[in-house]
Amino acid sequence: MAARDRYSRKLECAMCGNSGYAEVSEDDMPTRKDPDFKIDALPIGFLTERPSKYPDRHMIRCRCGHIFKFQQKTVYAEGGEPRRR
């Protein structure tokens, strides 16, 4: 089984201000055809609207109904930045 890179990323709704940190993971094999992006845990008030194996295509729905891309900003939890090789 391939190893996975794990990190936290802040989600923030532009409509109501709801925010929290999502725990996510990606395959760390650079030769893989896609990163196999997965959300392992979402903060309260957020749901996956449209899943994707790519973080820039994964859509999130806030409890207020606002839908936005998971990768809307580059705001990470302290020490939670993805590893780069």
Side-chain angles (χ1 to χ4, degrees):
M1 183 163 198
R4 295 185 65 79
D5 285 332
R6 299 184 188 285
Y7 58 96
S8 297
R9 184 171 194 135
K10 185 175 185 181
L11 299 179
E12 188 171 2
C13 178
M15 297 297 285
C16 72
N18 183 30
S19 67
Y21 287 92
E23 301 298 322
V24 301
S25 61
E26 296 179 357
D27 193 317
D28 71 350
M29 297 289 293
T31 57
R32 188 179 170 103
K33 70 176 185 168
D34 64 65
D36 192 28
F37 172 81
K38 291 183 180 168
I39 293 185
D40 301 319
L42 281 170
I44 294 172
F46 293 100
L47 299 169
T48 292
E49 175 70 15
R50 190 172 62 231
S52 175
K53 292 182 185 244
Y54 299 91
D56 59 337
R57 297 181 191 163
H58 193 100
M59 301 300 286
I60 300 292
R61 176 185 289 269
C62 179
R63 64 181 168 210
C64 74
H66 181 62
I67 298 170
F68 57 93
K69 288 183 180 180
F70 171 80
Q71 200 169 25
Q72 63 178 340
K73 305 177 189 180
T74 52
V75 178
Y76 296 95
E78 187 175 332
E81 297 84 7
R83 290 180 287 163
R84 301 283 184 224
R85 292 180 184 208

